[in-house]
Amino acid sequence: MTSLTLPATKFVYRITERTGPQAIKRFEEPLFQQQQPQMQQGTPVDTKVKPHEILVKIKAVSLNYRDLIISNGFYPFPVSPNVVPGSDGAGEVVQVGEAVKDFQVGDKVVGIFDQAHLYGDPGDWTNGLGGVVDGTLQQYRVFPAIAVIKIPQKTHLSWEEIASLPCTGVTCWNALFGIQPLLPGQTVLVQGTGGVAITGLILAKAAGATVIITSSSDEKLEYVKTNFGADYTINYRTNPDWDKVALQVTNGKGVDNVLEGGGINTIEKSLNAVRIGGVVSVIGFLAASENVPKPDVAKIAIEKGVIIRGIKIGSKQMFEDLNQLVHARKLKIPVNKVFGFSPKEVLRAYEYLESQAHIGKICIRVD
């Protein structure tokens, strides 16, 4: 057992009710308590990690749209009562279990989104951090050693950038390289200017692809083109038939891969914009409207031979590949704004996420 001098307690945030970010409250709990507090008085409290675990001092947490809809009750998958939010967190190892061989105190690490998805196909939704399993919005967290990624000690990334990799980064990696790997010279269309869109743009450009990005804001589009190298921009408010514009950009062929994040409002246009035999990677369902006609997805899929693929984040193996590329190419992860760890600052972070004013990732600095 290797360890530093540690406090007896830690501050954690829990979702006390799924009525919005205002119901996320801070608590002080025993350092090694991992799941929601249900201990009877007199129950022994752990004082060290188990043999195959490590204790991580969380330095930064990155928020995702998932965190917002878990807090307000719109997340369609299982959520535990009083869960600690946050799937994405990076930090420093401060205690190592006696059977752990691959980590030591002082290592920089980041947890994987699904603590059980090491390789191959994903399982169910019961192992995702911040949903069924307590997440990362806390000062310290115990992880199974097998469920974290080691970051190079001399990384070029900040703690906030590292924390932005598990959900957003791996999702984009899976979408671009998971089933039909993106090739140099191919074209990718990404929707919006949030964390997934900008990270997808960065990874696609690193692979030698041409990138088209859509937004309702000319100001955001100009910023993304100037700062992240988007090749083409489309304002979908002034160009509601943005799928036709994408076809024009590709000389009528269509794009090779669409990172689809809008849901029922945008899926038909995504299918129109993709080439025959291309890939539509369904990442989110931000746009929902009962008044939108339901497209005949089955007909379009057969007609164009399109792969329509739901992206459920990705495995630890994919994360390892992403980590290697990010550090080999010295890629910067797009962090838009960083908030503090106080209750007021955490609420502000969630409100900023809800405003959709961001370009890139929103983070909380824990330490």
Side-chain angles (χ1 to χ4, degrees), residues 10 12-14 29-39 45-46 48-50 53-55 82-84 115 129 132-136 138 140-144:
K10 62 181 177 180
V12 310
Y13 284 87
R14 293 189 179 276
E29 298 178 4
L31 182 62
F32 289 95
Q33 185 165 292
Q34 295 186 58
Q35 201 60 25
Q36 49 190 312
Q38 295 176 332
M39 297 184 298
V45 177
D46 289 337
K48 63 180 182 179
V49 294
K50 294 179 174 61
E53 295 176 337
I54 60 174
L55 177 65
N82 298 310
V83 73
V84 176
Q115 295 282 280
L129 294 178
V132 175
V133 180
D134 274 351
T136 58
Q138 52 184 308
Y140 293 85
R141 194 188 190 283
V142 175
F143 289 90

Coordinates of all heavy atoms in Angstrom, one line a residue, residues 10 12-14 29-39 45-46 48-50 53-55 82-84 115 129 132-136 138 140-144:
K10 N -14.3 14.3 2.6 CA -14.2 15.0 1.3 C -15.5 15.7 1.0 O -16.6 15.3 1.6 CB -14.0 13.9 0.2 CG -15.1 12.9 0.1 CD -14.8 11.9 -1.0 CE -15.9 10.8 -1.1 NZ -15.7 9.8 -2.1
V12 N -18.5 16.3 -1.6 CA -19.1 15.7 -2.8 C -20.4 16.5 -3.1 O -21.0 17.0 -2.3 CB -19.4 14.2 -2.6 CG1 -18.1 13.5 -2.1 CG2 -20.6 14.0 -1.8
Y13 N -20.7 16.4 -4.4 CA -22.0 17.0 -4.8 C -23.0 15.8 -5.2 O -22.5 14.8 -5.8 CB -21.9 17.9 -6.0 CG -21.3 19.2 -5.7 CD1 -20.0 19.4 -5.6 CD2 -22.2 20.3 -5.4 CE1 -19.4 20.7 -5.3 CE2 -21.7 21.5 -5.0 CZ -20.3 21.7 -5.0 OH -19.8 22.9 -4.6
R14 N -24.2 15.9 -4.8 CA -25.2 14.9 -5.1 C -26.5 15.5 -5.6 O -26.9 16.6 -5.3 CB -25.6 14.0 -3.8 CG -24.4 13.2 -3.4 CD -24.8 12.2 -2.3 NE -23.6 11.4 -1.9 CZ -23.2 10.3 -2.5 NH1 -23.8 9.9 -3.6 NH2 -22.1 9.6 -2.1
E29 N -18.5 14.0 3.4 CA -18.7 12.5 3.6 C -17.3 11.9 3.9 O -16.3 12.5 3.6 CB -19.3 11.9 2.3 CG -20.7 12.4 2.0 CD -21.2 11.8 0.7 OE1 -20.6 10.9 0.2 OE2 -22.3 12.1 0.3
P30 N -17.3 10.7 4.5 CA -16.1 10.0 4.7 C -15.3 9.8 3.4 O -15.9 9.6 2.3 CB -16.5 8.6 5.2 CG -17.9 8.9 5.8 CD -18.5 9.9 5.0
L31 N -14.0 9.9 3.5 CA -13.1 9.9 2.3 C -13.3 8.7 1.4 O -13.4 8.9 0.1 CB -11.6 10.0 2.7 CG -10.6 10.0 1.6 CD1 -10.8 11.3 0.8 CD2 -9.2 9.9 2.2
F32 N -13.5 7.5 1.9 CA -13.6 6.3 1.1 C -15.0 5.9 0.8 O -15.2 4.8 0.3 CB -12.8 5.2 1.8 CG -11.3 5.4 1.7 CD1 -10.7 6.0 2.8 CD2 -10.6 5.1 0.6 CE1 -9.3 6.2 2.8 CE2 -9.2 5.3 0.6 CZ -8.6 5.9 1.6
Q33 N -16.0 6.7 1.1 CA -17.4 6.4 0.8 C -17.5 6.5 -0.7 O -17.3 7.6 -1.3 CB -18.3 7.3 1.5 CG -19.8 6.9 1.3 CD -20.7 7.6 2.3 OE1 -20.6 7.2 3.5 NE2 -21.5 8.5 1.9
Q34 N -18.0 5.5 -1.4 CA -18.1 5.5 -2.8 C -19.5 5.7 -3.4 O -19.7 6.4 -4.4 CB -17.5 4.2 -3.4 CG -16.0 4.1 -3.2 CD -15.5 2.9 -3.9 OE1 -15.6 2.8 -5.1 NE2 -14.9 1.9 -3.1
Q35 N -20.5 5.2 -2.7 CA -21.9 5.3 -3.3 C -22.7 6.0 -2.3 O -22.2 6.4 -1.2 CB -22.4 3.9 -3.6 CG -23.6 3.8 -4.5 CD -23.2 4.4 -5.9 OE1 -22.1 4.4 -6.4 NE2 -24.2 4.8 -6.6
Q36 N -23.9 6.3 -2.6 CA -24.8 7.2 -1.8 C -24.8 6.7 -0.4 O -24.8 5.5 -0.1 CB -26.2 7.2 -2.4 CG -26.8 5.8 -2.7 CD -28.0 5.9 -3.5 OE1 -28.9 6.7 -3.1 NE2 -28.2 5.1 -4.5
P37 N -24.9 7.7 0.6 CA -24.8 7.4 2.0 C -26.0 6.7 2.5 O -27.1 7.2 2.6 CB -24.6 8.7 2.6 CG -25.2 9.7 1.7 CD -25.0 9.1 0.3
Q38 N -25.9 5.4 2.9 CA -27.0 4.7 3.5 C -26.5 3.9 4.7 O -27.1 2.9 5.1 CB -27.6 3.7 2.5 CG -28.3 4.4 1.3 CD -28.8 3.5 0.3 OE1 -28.3 2.4 0.1 NE2 -29.8 3.9 -0.4
M39 N -25.4 4.3 5.3 CA -24.7 3.5 6.3 C -25.5 3.8 7.7 O -25.9 4.9 8.0 CB -23.3 3.9 6.5 CG -22.4 3.6 5.3 SD -20.7 4.0 5.7 CE -20.8 5.8 5.9
V45 N -16.1 2.4 8.7 CA -15.8 3.1 7.5 C -14.4 2.7 7.0 O -13.4 2.6 7.8 CB -15.8 4.7 7.7 CG1 -15.4 5.4 6.5 CG2 -17.2 5.1 8.2
D46 N -14.3 2.5 5.7 CA -13.0 2.1 5.1 C -11.9 3.2 5.4 O -12.2 4.4 5.3 CB -13.1 1.8 3.6 CG -13.8 0.6 3.3 OD1 -13.9 -0.3 4.1 OD2 -14.4 0.5 2.2
K48 N -8.8 2.7 3.7 CA -7.8 2.6 2.6 C -8.5 1.9 1.4 O -9.6 1.3 1.6 CB -6.6 1.8 3.0 CG -6.9 0.3 3.4 CD -5.7 -0.5 3.9 CE -6.1 -1.9 4.2 NZ -4.9 -2.7 4.6
V49 N -7.9 2.0 0.3 CA -8.5 1.3 -0.9 C -8.3 -0.2 -0.8 O -7.4 -0.7 -0.1 CB -7.8 1.9 -2.2 CG1 -8.2 3.3 -2.4 CG2 -6.3 1.7 -2.2
K50 N -9.1 -0.9 -1.6 CA -9.0 -2.3 -1.7 C -7.8 -2.7 -2.6 O -7.2 -1.8 -3.3 CB -10.3 -2.9 -2.2 CG -11.4 -2.8 -1.2 CD -12.7 -3.3 -1.8 CE -13.9 -3.3 -0.7 NZ -14.2 -1.9 -0.3
E53 N -7.6 -1.3 -6.2 CA -8.1 0.0 -6.4 C -7.1 1.1 -6.3 O -6.0 0.8 -5.7 CB -9.3 0.3 -5.4 CG -10.5 -0.6 -5.6 CD -11.5 -0.4 -4.5 OE1 -11.2 0.1 -3.4 OE2 -12.7 -0.7 -4.8
I54 N -7.4 2.3 -6.8 CA -6.6 3.4 -6.5 C -7.5 4.6 -6.0 O -8.7 4.6 -6.4 CB -5.8 3.9 -7.8 CG1 -6.8 4.3 -8.9 CG2 -4.8 2.8 -8.2 CD1 -6.1 4.8 -10.1
L55 N -6.9 5.5 -5.2 CA -7.6 6.7 -4.8 C -7.1 7.9 -5.6 O -5.9 8.1 -5.7 CB -7.5 6.9 -3.3 CG -8.1 8.2 -2.8 CD1 -9.6 8.1 -2.9 CD2 -7.7 8.4 -1.3
N82 N -29.8 10.2 -5.5 CA -28.8 10.9 -4.8 C -27.4 10.7 -5.4 O -26.4 10.7 -4.7 CB -28.7 10.5 -3.4 CG -30.0 10.9 -2.7 OD1 -30.4 12.1 -2.8 ND2 -30.6 10.0 -2.0
V83 N -27.3 10.4 -6.7 CA -26.1 10.1 -7.4 C -25.1 11.3 -7.4 O -25.6 12.4 -7.5 CB -26.3 9.5 -8.8 CG1 -26.7 10.6 -9.8 CG2 -25.1 8.8 -9.3
V84 N -23.8 11.0 -7.4 CA -22.8 12.1 -7.6 C -22.8 12.3 -9.1 O -22.5 11.3 -9.8 CB -21.5 11.7 -7.1 CG1 -20.4 12.8 -7.4 CG2 -21.5 11.5 -5.5
Q115 N -17.4 2.1 -16.5 CA -16.4 1.4 -15.7 C -16.2 -0.1 -16.0 O -15.2 -0.7 -15.6 CB -16.7 1.6 -14.2 CG -16.6 3.0 -13.7 CD -15.2 3.5 -13.6 OE1 -14.5 3.2 -12.5 NE2 -14.7 4.3 -14.5
L129 N -20.5 6.4 -15.1 CA -20.3 7.3 -14.0 C -21.3 8.5 -14.1 O -21.6 9.0 -15.2 CB -18.9 7.9 -14.1 CG -17.7 6.9 -13.9 CD1 -16.4 7.6 -14.1 CD2 -17.8 6.3 -12.5
V132 N -25.9 5.7 -12.9 CA -26.1 4.7 -11.9 C -25.0 4.7 -10.9 O -25.3 4.5 -9.7 CB -26.3 3.3 -12.6 CG1 -26.4 2.2 -11.5 CG2 -27.5 3.2 -13.5
V133 N -23.8 4.9 -11.3 CA -22.6 4.9 -10.4 C -22.2 6.3 -10.1 O -22.3 7.2 -10.9 CB -21.5 4.1 -11.1 CG1 -20.2 4.1 -10.3 CG2 -21.9 2.7 -11.6
D134 N -21.8 6.5 -8.8 CA -21.4 7.8 -8.4 C -20.3 8.3 -9.3 O -19.3 7.6 -9.7 CB -20.9 7.8 -7.0 CG -22.0 8.0 -5.9 OD1 -23.1 8.3 -6.3 OD2 -21.7 7.8 -4.7
G135 N -20.4 9.6 -9.7 CA -19.5 10.2 -10.7 C -18.3 11.0 -10.1 O -17.9 10.6 -9.0
T136 N -17.9 12.0 -10.7 CA -16.6 12.6 -10.5 C -16.7 14.0 -9.8 O -15.6 14.5 -9.5 CB -15.8 12.8 -11.8 OG1 -16.6 13.5 -12.7 CG2 -15.5 11.4 -12.4
Q138 N -16.6 15.4 -7.1 CA -16.2 15.3 -5.7 C -14.6 15.4 -5.6 O -13.9 15.4 -6.6 CB -16.6 13.9 -5.2 CG -16.1 12.7 -6.0 CD -16.7 11.4 -5.5 OE1 -16.5 11.1 -4.3 NE2 -17.3 10.6 -6.4
Y140 N -12.3 13.6 -4.0 CA -11.6 12.3 -4.1 C -12.5 11.2 -4.6 O -13.7 11.2 -4.2 CB -11.0 11.9 -2.8 CG -9.9 12.8 -2.2 CD1 -10.2 13.9 -1.5 CD2 -8.6 12.4 -2.4 CE1 -9.2 14.7 -0.9 CE2 -7.6 13.3 -1.9 CZ -7.9 14.4 -1.2 OH -6.9 15.2 -0.6
R141 N -12.0 10.3 -5.4 CA -12.8 9.2 -5.8 C -12.0 7.9 -5.9 O -10.8 8.0 -6.5 CB -13.5 9.4 -7.2 CG -14.6 8.4 -7.4 CD -15.2 8.5 -8.8 NE -16.3 7.6 -9.0 CZ -16.3 6.3 -9.1 NH1 -15.2 5.7 -9.1 NH2 -17.5 5.6 -9.2
V142 N -12.5 6.8 -5.4 CA -11.9 5.5 -5.6 C -12.3 4.9 -6.9 O -13.4 4.9 -7.3 CB -12.3 4.5 -4.5 CG1 -11.7 3.1 -4.7 CG2 -11.8 5.1 -3.1
F143 N -11.3 4.4 -7.7 CA -11.5 3.7 -9.0 C -10.9 2.3 -9.0 O -9.8 2.2 -8.4 CB -10.9 4.5 -10.1 CG -11.5 5.8 -10.5 CD1 -11.0 7.0 -9.9 CD2 -12.5 5.9 -11.4 CE1 -11.6 8.2 -10.2 CE2 -13.0 7.1 -11.8 CZ -12.6 8.3 -11.2
P144 N -11.5 1.4 -9.6 CA -10.8 0.2 -9.9 C -9.6 0.5 -10.8 O -9.8 1.3 -11.8 CB -11.8 -0.7 -10.7 CG -13.2 -0.1 -10.4 CD -12.9 1.4 -10.2

